Amino acid sequence: MSSGQERAELDAKARQGQTVVPGGTGGKSLEAQEHLAEGRSRGGQTRKEQLGTEGYQEMGRKGGLSTGDQSGGERAAQERGIDVDESKFTTKS
């Protein structure tokens, strides 16, 4: 854990608009950036648990191919010949 002086310096930088915690972009203080980073990490983990590892990885591949006028699944099928199994994207209960 950071010492009190290090935390104070990081908090001062954060209040000036710098990102001092990975994933904490947009936080106005050190504490806010820590909470943002934690929430973003937890959100990804929750989604991975809902979809399963394979579905989560497939979602990433599909998302990387999406454009403004085409979904990733459509583009993957047209340009790369990749068949995206949409059944993996249904939320498990």
Side-chain angles (χ1 to χ4, degrees):
M1 209 62 190
S2 301
S3 72
Q5 184 179 1
E6 288 173 335
R7 288 189 63 81
E9 289 173 10
L10 290 174
D11 190 49
K13 287 181 180 181
R15 290 183 189 279
Q16 293 173 358
Q18 293 182 27
T19 301
V20 294
V21 177
T25 305
K28 303 295 182 199
S29 68
L30 176 61
E31 186 176 1
Q33 288 189 17
E34 289 172 339
H35 286 287
L36 282 168
E38 182 181 337
R40 288 178 178 144
S41 173
R42 193 175 323 133
Q45 275 302 116
T46 301
R47 190 71 176 144
K48 185 175 181 180
E49 290 167 8
Q50 290 173 337
L51 295 172
T53 303
E54 187 180 343
Y56 189 73
Q57 289 172 344
E58 185 109 0
M59 182 182 73
R61 281 189 223 110
K62 178 180 171 183
L65 294 171
S66 63
T67 61
D69 59 337
Q70 262 185 329
S71 76
E74 293 169 349
R75 188 161 170 230
Q78 281 181 349
E79 295 182 13
R80 308 240 169 115
I82 302 169
D83 184 33
V84 177
D85 183 3
E86 297 286 337
S87 68
K88 295 175 188 171
F89 302 116
T90 58
T91 304
K92 297 176 183 175
S93 49

